[in-house]
Amino acid sequence: MPNPLTLYARFRTERHFYIYDTFSNAILQTPKPIWERIDQVLLEGSPAQGNSSEWATRTREAVADARSAGFLGPCDLTAMAFYESDSTLHTRLTRAISQLALEVTERCNLRCHYCAFANDERRNSHASEMSLATATKAISAFLSHSVEAKTRTVSFWGGEPLFALSLIRKVVDHVETCRAGAPISYAFTTNGTLIKEATARFLSAYKFQLLVSLDGPRHIHDRNRRGANGAGSFDDTLAGLRLLRTTDPEYYRDVRFNCVLSRDTSLDEVLQFFNTEPLVTGHDVTI
C-alpha cells in the first residue's frame, strides 16, 4: 500500500518561508533550508532517506515534530481530479452556478492601513460604479445558468458596497421580478458606517447575509480602520449596528463579523470585546 498523501503548498514572502497544511488548515513558518527540502520528505516515494546532509536530517525531524503536534496529517485521497467527467463540469457551468459576485463600486470612505487599495486613485477621484445595464446583463446570465443550483446567492462587493445602495436596490428588484426556481439570497461585506434607518429596513426585508468589518474595541479598531480624514470609524460602525438591531432584532442575530488581527494587537483584548460587547456577543466572528 502506498503511503497516505500529505496535501500542502509551499509559498514565501520577501523575508519568510511558509507551508500551508490542508490537514489542519494552518500556515507553518519554516526556516529556508527546511522549506527547500520538505518536498523530499513529504512527497510520496521520496523520503530523502539517502540524503545524509544536516538539513535533510533536520527536515525529517521537523516533519516528525509537526505531525506529533497535529500538523501535516495524512489524507485519505488516492487521486485528485477537477471533475469526474466533462459532462459534470458542463452541467455545473451551464445550469448549476451557485453565486454571482458583483463589484458594484470602487468607492470607499475608509482608508484602512492594511488595505492594498487604501491609497489607490480608484478609492478617490477615479472611482467608478457598475452601471445598471451591466448588472442586469450579469443577473440574466446568472439566472439562466443557475436553474439546477441547490442554493443561489447574489453578493455585492466594493469598495464599500453601500455607496452603491441605489444600484443594489435596483438589482434586487430586478432579481425578484425575474427569478424562478430556488430562492435567491443576497450578501455583502460592509464597514457599517453608512447604515441608515432606511438601509437597515431594506437589509432586513431581504434578509441580507451581512458581514461587518470590526476589529475589536475602539482603541484597536481605530488604529487601522480610519476615514479619509484620518478619523477613526469605530463609533460610526457601532451606530450602524445599533440601527440594524433596533430595526429588526431577530434579523440582527444573524449578522456576522470579520476582524483583522494586525501586528502587536492583543488577542485577549479582542476576544474580551467580542465576548462582552452587547452588540456583538453571541455572533459569529472570523478573525
Side-chain angles (χ1 to χ4, degrees):
M1 291 290 293
N3 293 328
L5 294 173
T6 301
L7 298 183
Y8 67 99
R10 297 187 310 149
F11 66 98
R12 60 171 295 179
T13 62
E14 184 176 340
R15 293 185 298 169
H16 300 295
F17 299 83
Y18 301 93
I19 296 167
Y20 169 64
D21 171 31
T22 61
F23 179 77
S24 62
N25 195 32
I27 295 174
L28 312 176
Q29 184 176 343
T30 69
K32 180 181 179 181
I34 289 179
W35 185 83
E36 292 175 333
R37 291 167 175 81
I38 200 162
D39 284 350
Q40 300 172 1
V41 175
L42 292 180
L43 289 179
E44 183 181 16
S46 302
Q49 294 294 338
N51 191 333
S52 60
S53 72
E54 176 189 355
W55 276 107
T57 300
R58 293 177 65 175
T59 301
R60 290 194 294 271
E61 292 173 347
V63 168
D65 289 343
R67 283 177 168 162
S68 66
F71 302 104
L72 300 176
C75 175
D76 293 333
L77 292 178
T78 57
M80 295 179 66
F82 185 51
Y83 281 104
E84 293 180 358
S85 67
D86 290 340
S87 62
T88 303
L89 177 58
H90 179 76
T91 299
R92 287 294 301 272
L93 292 177
T94 58
R95 302 183 62 80
I97 293 177
S98 60
Q99 182 170 3
L100 172 67
L102 300 175
E103 186 180 354
V104 291
T105 182
E106 293 177 332
R107 293 177 64 195
C108 187
N109 57 327
L110 299 189
R111 299 295 181 269
C112 301
H113 293 169
Y114 37 59
C115 177
F117 302 100
N119 297 313
D120 195 309
E121 280 300 310
R122 288 176 295 178
R123 292 290 185 262
N124 301 300
S125 57
H126 292 84
S128 62
E129 186 171 300
M130 179 177 287
S131 68
L132 179 59
T134 297
T136 301
K137 186 175 180 180
I139 289 295
S140 297
F142 175 63
L143 293 178
S144 65
H145 288 78
S146 64
V147 292
E148 293 185 11
K150 294 180 180 179
T151 61
R152 298 189 294 177
T153 302
V154 175
S155 59
F156 302 95
W157 295 79
E160 167 51 51
L162 286 180
F163 270 116
L165 179 59
S166 176
L167 174 63
I168 292 173
R169 287 179 178 273
K170 293 174 183 176
V171 168
V172 171
D173 286 343
H174 180 71
V175 171
E176 293 299 309
T177 300
C178 299
R179 73 174 177 84
I184 292 180
S185 58
Y186 305 98
F188 66 77
T189 300
T190 177
N191 59 45
T193 61
L194 302 180
I195 296 174
K196 307 301 181 186
E197 186 174 347
T199 310
R201 290 197 301 269
F202 170 68
L203 298 177
S204 168
Y206 290 99
K207 300 297 183 262
F208 269 75
Q209 300 170 16
L210 210 59
L211 183 65
V212 179
S213 301
L214 182 62
D215 288 351
R218 178 185 285 101
H219 69 281
I220 291 177
H221 179 92
D222 283 350
R223 183 188 303 168
N224 292 300
R225 292 192 182 273
R226 294 181 172 272
N229 61 358
S233 61
F234 180 83
D235 289 338
D236 289 338
T237 297
L238 262 62
L241 296 178
R242 292 189 188 96
L243 270 175
L244 279 174
R245 188 177 63 176
T246 300
T247 300
D248 189 338
E250 185 173 351
Y251 163 71
Y252 183 74
R253 293 191 189 102
D254 292 327
V255 172
R256 298 177 297 118
F257 295 94
N258 180 60
C259 167
V260 176
L261 192 67
S262 57
R263 182 179 298 180
D264 300 328
T265 297
S266 168
L267 179 59
D268 289 338
E269 285 187 83
V270 171
L271 294 178
Q272 182 181 17
F273 172 80
F274 283 106
N275 286 327
T276 59
E277 165 56 50
L279 280 169
V280 299
T281 301
H283 291 250
D284 287 342
V285 180
T286 301
I287 295 182

